[in-house]
Amino acid sequence: MKRIFSMILCVLMLASVLFVGTAAAEESPYKDVKTGRWSYADIMYVTEKGLMNGTSATKFEPNTPMSRAMLVTVLWRLEGSPAVSGSNPFTDLKQAWYKDAVNWAYQNSIVNGTDADKFSPNGNITRDQMAAILYRYS
């Protein structure tokens, strides 16, 4: 069993080396994400799958903290960006890019507000908020 596991591990390591070698020939669509970055493949994956967008056409901002709206939008997109109906009590949802996602998450009991009528979409997501949202999502 150990020998099979070791062989599988070797094949995976070899495949990752080959993948990294081909990634260097690619060009990043983001000026702030170089192809040699440790998270390059992951960033390209979430971009290609439509789960996350850059903060502009040429920036991903990999070191920028994730906002509450960003996390909820990723989960909504992971679900296929389902149509949204109903309403929510939040009065601070100003930008269109996250309104449907927040409404979907509220309607599905995935999120609560930070106050009775506030979602705080631009607030950085804390670890405990993320844990609660991911728990409810799962």
Side-chain angles (χ1 to χ4, degrees):
M1 187 66 167
K2 286 183 183 180
R3 188 175 194 156
I4 292 172
F5 179 73
S6 295
M7 292 173 89
I8 291 171
L9 188 58
C10 287
V11 168
L12 290 174
M13 287 180 10
L14 180 60
S16 70
V17 168
L18 293 174
F19 178 74
V20 169
T22 59
E26 296 177 25
E27 186 174 326
S28 175
Y30 303 116
K31 291 180 180 179
D32 57 354
V33 179
K34 303 296 181 209
T35 56
R37 184 183 177 85
W38 68 269
S39 58
Y40 175 78
D42 305 312
I43 291 169
M44 292 304 103
Y45 178 86
V46 297
T47 299
E48 289 167 9
K49 297 297 182 187
L51 300 176
M52 296 179 81
N53 298 324
T55 56
S56 77
T58 59
K59 285 186 176 180
F60 187 81
E61 295 187 33
N63 296 316
T64 297
M66 183 172 244
S67 72
R68 292 171 49 83
M70 288 176 183
L71 176 62
V72 171
T73 301
V74 169
L75 297 177
W76 177 66
R77 290 174 179 162
L78 191 59
E79 288 297 311
S81 304
V84 179
S85 61
S87 62
N88 64 63
F90 308 128
T91 59
D92 60 347
L93 303 180
K94 306 292 183 214
Q95 295 184 10
W97 68 266
Y98 58 71
K99 282 183 179 180
D100 283 347
V102 173
N103 199 28
W104 165 81
Y106 178 78
Q107 294 296 323
N108 287 283
S109 302
I110 296 169
V111 296
N112 297 318
T114 55
D115 217 340
D117 65 344
K118 302 279 189 254
F119 179 72
S120 304
N122 297 318
N124 292 343
I125 188 92
T126 63
R127 290 171 52 90
D128 64 338
Q129 291 171 351
M130 187 180 296
I133 290 170
L134 293 176
Y135 173 77
R136 291 185 203 124
Y137 172 75
S138 69

